[in-house]
Every structure is written in structure tokens, then in C-alpha cells.
Amino acid sequence: MPVTAIVLAAGEGTRMKSHHPKVMHKVLDRPLAWWVVNAARQAGIEHIVLVIGNGAQEVRSYFADEKDVEFVEQTRRLGTGHAVRVVRDALGSFDGPVVVLNGDLPLVRPETVRALVDRTRNNHDACTVLTMTPPDVTGYGRVLLDDSGQVQAIIEHKDCTPEQRATLLECNAGAYCFCGERLSANIDKLTNDNVQGEYYLTDMVGIYVGMGEPVTAVHCDDYRELLGVNDRVQLSQVTKIMQRRINEGLMRSGVSMLDPDQVWVGPEATIGMDTVLLPQTIVWGKTVVGEACTIGPNSRLVNATVGDNCTVDETVIVDSAIDDDVNCGPRAYLRGGAHFHKGAKAGTHVEIKGSEVGEGSKVPHLSYIGDARLGKGVNIGGGSITCNYDGKHKSHTEIGDHVFVGSDTMMVAPVTIGDNALVGASSCITKDVPAGALALERSKQTVIEGWADRYWDRLERED
């Protein structure tokens, strides 16, 4: 039978002190809830339900393109048990196993979720509880087991006796797998007879034990997988753990890092062998970096494609691509679908927007190229720009192969410069330049001998 994952993402998270829902705060470049959804997906779960409430529209918008994610809104937030009941009422009775995960468990691994499901299936459990033994058990609900390993109860920390606090070290992680059929039939037995007036999913354990239904536990050896996030301090702590997890995996696959604590790589980025990531490098989104590259220092790549043998020095690349043997920076900015072909160069203080730069072409320094196509072997002199925006419309600049553009040149789009043309420095090009032509546009220089000397003399006399 198919497995359903219910991700609880409706809470306010007041301790985050934020206008945004807690589950939308990010670990690296992805929200908390994304990590939980992705863990369920990687565990093979095809039906994922996000329970939303506080900040519902923000959560919906982020996951709108995720075809395997369904939303159920918990308009009245009356506890975790109530959230599961709302899902059952909205979608109908559950058939197969139902995994319930808090939306603030970003470190949980797919293997752990899969083990939870397998235990429920293999043992025919009514409920399987995921447990851990953290160094400090304060505040966690304690799991009481009998001699055969069956769960007898989950006792909240505040309800534990001094002896139980000292001896019960197995803690509830807030993640469960239920038999869907039995959960559908028994979820209505939950009551809200407590100080908070809420329906707690943990109470299902006591209900099942009282019915004689089997409840077992799966112990997670690495307690860090199950660390939750309630404030921004804890958010930074789990982010550091995830940073190290990803970086260690990359280094074991052949990527070098001068200082792994100063490199941040998102979960969907891929980086090839023999690439070096220098300090203060950020690699976000679905970035793909090839082999034998040097990225950084002080570089940021977002949804970028980088070929082999590239250097990306103090450079930002967003939604753009560079092919093999491309050199960028220091302090270059590629954005908006820019594409550099093999052997091209973007130099110091260069911005490239929505432009194609041909094989072996160079934009070495202090230039802006926007909405343009440069052919092969083009050289753009320093301080040159394409004037692509008139305040209302964007226009295109076409530059052919082996064109030389002198420094401080303005190319006012729409304009075309033909193959092998040469544009003199400090020109303002407003008309097309034929192939093989020289284009110059300069005002006449006027020199008045002795004028400056007379000017300074007059100022000194006036003083």
C-alpha cells in the first residue's frame, strides 16, 4: 500500500520572533519544511501532505510547483492530533502507513524515515515511535519501554518523577509511523483534557497500549538528526550541522575546501572532482560546477552552470552559465541568463546581464554588457557599456566575430557591429557598423595655450 507523509507545518513559531512562519526560515538555502518534505520524498514516499496554518499562503507559494505535495489547512490550531484528524477529514481514510513528521526537523535523513516505515510494515504496528538519546534530555518526552521493547507510554518531562527523569533517557523525537487504517478508526478517541486544551498525537500511544495494539520504537543513533528548531539560535545550530554534513560528503567525493567552515553549499548543488572551494564561497540552488575549477574566495553561485577548468574569483553568478576554461573576476557579476562560451573572460568590475559572450571573447574590466550577443574573439575595452534600456524598453546589441571595441565606448541599442570591425576609444555608437569598418565618434578637441596658467594666477591674486 502507498505511504502517506504528513508534515506538520501550521505552527506560529512565536520564539522565532518573525513575520514569517517558522517552517519557512532557511537552513542554508532551503526552508525548514523543504528539508522534511525532501527527506520523505527521498525515502520513497509519493504522497506528501503539508498541514499549513500560520503563513499558509507563503508556504503554498513556495511549494506550489511540487507535484507530489498536497496542502491541508488547519484553520484552528488545536494540537498535533487535531492536525492529523484534519488531514483525515479532508482526504478521507488512510489506507497504507502514515508517517507524521514535524516541519522543523531539517536534519532527519531519508534512511531514518524509511526505517520507521519498514518497522511498522514488518511488525504490523499500530504505531512506531522514533526515539533518540540526546546528551541533555531536559524538556523531552520520555519513552517508557517494557522488557520486550514495546512502548508503554510517552511521559512529558514535566510529568516525570525525579526517578524517571534520572533513569528514562530514551526520548520522543516527535516523529511517528502509524497503520493508516487503525489511525483513521481511532484518531477521534483523542481528547483535549489538558491545560492547553489541545489534542496531542502522543496520546495515541496510550490509547493503543490500552487497546492492546502493538506500539514499538525505532532508535535513531545520531540524535542530531532529530534536533528541532524553535528559535534562531537553534536554527543556526542545525544549519552548521547541515553545512558540515554536506561539505564532508563533497570532500569525500573529491572536492577540496581550504576551510570547510567558510563554505556553504545547498543540498541540490553538484560539484565535480578536483574543484577547489575557497573561503566565503556560497553555492546555492541547482548549481552545477564541473571538474578542476577554483571557486572563490568571496564568490556566490545561484542556479549557475560552470564548466570544467574555470576560475570564479570574487564573482557572483545568478541564473547564468559559463562553459569550460572561462575566467571570471575578481568582482564580476553575471546574471539574467548570461552565457560565456569556452575560453571567454569576464574581468574585474564587469557586469553581464542576459548576454551571450562567444568563444575566446573578453570583457576584461569596468564594463557593463546587457542584452547583447558577442561573437568569437571579441575584445571589449575598459569602461564600455551597451546602452540597452531607454527607461521603458530593453533593446539588443549584436557584435560580430573578432570585433575590437576601444575603451570608454557607448553602444546605444539597438545596434549591430559587424565582423572584424574596430571601434575607436571614447565613441558613442548609435548606428550600425559594417563588417571590417572603423567607427569613430568624437567631438573636436579644443586646446587654448596658456589658459590654465592664467586661471591659477588669477585665483592666487584674488586670495
Side-chain angles (χ1 to χ4, degrees):
M1 289 185 179
V3 182
T4 297
I6 299 174
V7 178
L8 304 179
E12 293 185 25
T14 54
R15 280 182 278 175
M16 298 299 288
K17 304 224 177 331
S18 174
H19 297 296
H20 303 282
K22 179 174 74 171
V23 297
M24 293 306 294
H25 287 263
K26 290 184 177 181
V27 171
L28 300 175
D29 65 332
R30 292 289 184 257
L32 286 165
W34 180 91
W35 292 93
V36 184
V37 167
N38 191 59
R41 182 182 291 132
Q42 295 299 317
I45 299 175
E46 297 179 354
H47 184 212
I48 300 170
V49 180
L50 264 177
V51 181
I52 56 177
N54 180 56
Q57 188 53 48
E58 185 175 346
V59 181
R60 280 183 187 273
S61 296
Y62 186 87
F63 289 95
D65 295 330
E66 307 286 343
K67 303 304 181 185
D68 57 350
V69 174
E70 190 169 359
F71 303 97
V72 172
E73 187 162 357
Q74 187 185 15
T75 54
R76 299 176 64 214
R77 288 170 295 277
L78 302 177
T80 53
H82 176 257
V84 173
R85 192 171 68 193
V86 167
V87 173
R88 184 209 57 185
D89 292 344
L91 304 181
S93 297
F94 304 116
D95 292 325
V98 178
V99 176
V100 181
L101 301 167
N102 287 332
D104 65 349
L105 294 177
L107 300 174
V108 66
R109 295 179 187 269
E111 299 88 341
T112 302
V113 177
R114 197 177 299 120
L116 196 59
V117 174
D118 290 344
R119 175 66 66 85
T120 303
R121 278 177 163 160
N122 295 337
N123 286 16
H124 304 289
D125 290 336
C127 175
T128 309
V129 182
L130 190 59
T131 65
M132 62 176 177
T133 307
D136 183 2
V137 298
T138 303
Y140 287 102
R142 312 300 167 76
V143 180
L144 180 62
L145 301 171
D146 65 14
D147 293 339
S148 66
Q150 293 286 309
V151 176
Q152 296 301 297
I154 297 177
I155 308 171
E156 294 303 319
H157 177 82
K158 65 182 185 304
D159 297 326
C160 289
T161 66
E163 181 183 0
Q164 287 173 328
R165 290 182 183 181
T167 59
L168 294 181
L169 303 180
E170 198 79 358
C171 295
N172 176 30
Y176 315 87
C177 186
F178 294 92
C179 164
E181 184 177 349
R182 282 175 278 186
L183 180 63
S184 297
N186 293 292
I187 190 72
D188 292 317
K189 293 179 181 177
L190 288 174
T191 66
N192 62 346
D193 186 17
N194 52 63
V195 174
Q196 285 77 23
E198 295 185 351
Y199 299 87
Y200 295 126
L201 194 59
T202 51
D203 291 345
M204 287 303 303
V205 171
I207 290 172
Y208 282 139
V209 170
M211 295 171 62
E213 292 281 5
V215 179
T216 64
V218 168
H219 179 79
C220 182
D221 292 334
D222 185 357
Y223 76 93
R224 296 174 302 174
E225 278 193 51
L226 305 174
L227 292 176
V229 174
N230 291 304
D231 58 31
R232 294 178 192 256
V233 173
Q234 293 175 341
L235 181 68
S236 70
Q237 291 168 346
V238 301
T239 298
K240 175 57 70 175
I241 293 170
M242 185 58 76
Q243 176 199 25
R244 289 173 178 164
R245 182 191 291 181
I246 290 175
N247 287 357
E248 286 174 5
L250 287 170
M251 288 187 287
R252 289 192 178 98
S253 71
V255 176
S256 291
M257 299 182 191
L258 183 63
D259 184 351
D261 283 336
Q262 296 191 67
V263 173
W264 297 267
V265 180
E268 296 186 287
T270 58
I271 301 174
M273 288 191 304
D274 295 320
T275 285
V276 179
L277 302 181
L278 295 175
Q280 300 301 313
T281 289
I282 297 173
V283 184
W284 279 174
K286 296 183 178 180
T287 293
V288 177
V289 178
E291 297 185 353
C293 296
T294 299
I295 311 296
N298 303 320
S299 293
R300 177 165 58 93
L301 280 59
V302 182
N303 297 322
T305 300
V306 177
D308 297 334
N309 303 302
C310 293
T311 299
V312 180
D313 181 6
E314 291 189 69
T315 290
V316 175
I317 304 178
V318 179
D319 298 322
S320 297
I322 62 176
D323 295 345
D324 297 347
D325 305 311
V326 169
N327 191 324
C328 295
R331 294 172 293 283
Y333 182 23
L334 280 59
R335 63 185 177 93
H339 182 192
F340 273 61
H341 290 264
K342 181 179 174 65
K345 175 182 175 64
T348 306
H349 298 295
V350 165
E351 180 178 359
I352 310 292
K353 176 258 176 184
S355 297
E356 181 179 357
V357 178
E359 185 174 341
S361 291
K362 299 177 181 179
V363 188
H365 37 249
L366 301 164
S367 295
Y368 168 73
I369 302 296
D371 299 308
R373 191 193 74 83
L374 282 61
K376 298 178 181 179
V378 172
N379 187 89
I380 302 293
S384 297
I385 71 169
T386 58
C387 306
N388 58 317
Y389 184 51
D390 63 6
K392 195 170 185 179
H393 304 102
K394 299 285 181 68
S395 297
H396 181 75
T397 297
E398 185 77 16
I399 300 175
D401 294 340
H402 307 293
V403 171
F404 184 93
V405 176
S407 299
D408 194 30
T409 294
M410 309 291 109
M411 292 161 277
V412 182
V415 70
T416 297
I417 301 174
D419 295 346
N420 302 303
L422 191 152
V423 178
S426 195
S427 293
C428 181
I429 302 301
T430 59
K431 298 178 181 179
D432 291 350
V433 178
L438 167 66
L440 290 172
E441 191 283 325
R442 297 172 183 164
S443 59
K444 180 180 178 181
Q445 180 173 315
T446 301
V447 178
I448 303 175
E449 296 284 348
W451 188 93
D453 290 337
R454 294 191 295 273
Y455 173 73
W456 296 120
D457 288 343
R458 186 176 76 248
L459 289 180
E460 288 180 6
R461 287 195 303 271
E462 289 175 353
D463 289 343

